[in-house]
Structure formats: structure tokens, C-alpha cells
Amino acid sequence: MSLGVIPFSAADRPLWTLEAFTVFDDSRVHVELLSAQVTVTAPSEITLYVRAFEKLTELAVYGTQARALIMSAIDALG
């Protein structure tokens, strides 16, 4: 597992997530909505979530860069 952070400065961001989602495998995605959790099992919809995850992963930074963003956010609170 890795933790990625998407910077506010990410250029040409192709999408913004409206809800949290978890891709478990190629047969199930859990989507957290404001009022409910939805389990998606339709292959075409799973494909949409997998593609969205791939695009968000490309925007994220990892390791030292992610740590720097997190530390910067913490410093801004103080």
C-alpha cells in the first residue's frame, strides 16, 4: 500500500472526486455518499471508477514529496 497526496497545484486536473470510493477488485466498488454506502457491481461502472482512480493516482505525489506537502499543511495550521 502507498499513500499519495494530490497537491492543490496539480495542473490540468481531469476530475474532482465528489464522493469517496474504494475499488476492491474487478467485481466490486464501494462508494460513500452523504446518506448511504453503495456497492457497485456493474462492470461498466466499475471500469469508470478504476479509470478515475488511475487518473487520480497520476496526479498524486508520494514519499518525500507527499511528506513535504503534509508538513506544509501542518505548519500552516500553527
Side-chain angles (χ1 to χ4, degrees), residues 4-11 13 16 56 58-62 65-66 69:
V5 177
I6 300 174
F8 284 118
S9 62
R13 188 173 180 154
W16 292 84
L56 292 168
E58 291 172 5
L59 293 173
V61 295
Y62 302 88
Q65 288 179 299
L69 282 176

Side-chain angles (χ1 to χ4, degrees), residues 19-33 37-50:
E19 65 273 330
F21 63 93
T22 305
V23 179
F24 285 94
D25 49 33
D26 61 352
S27 63
R28 182 175 50 137
V29 173
H30 285 178
V31 183
E32 290 287 335
L33 303 175
Q37 177 179 323
V38 177
T39 300
V40 176
T41 58
S44 62
E45 292 182 31
I46 291 170
T47 299
L48 289 174
Y49 281 98
V50 169

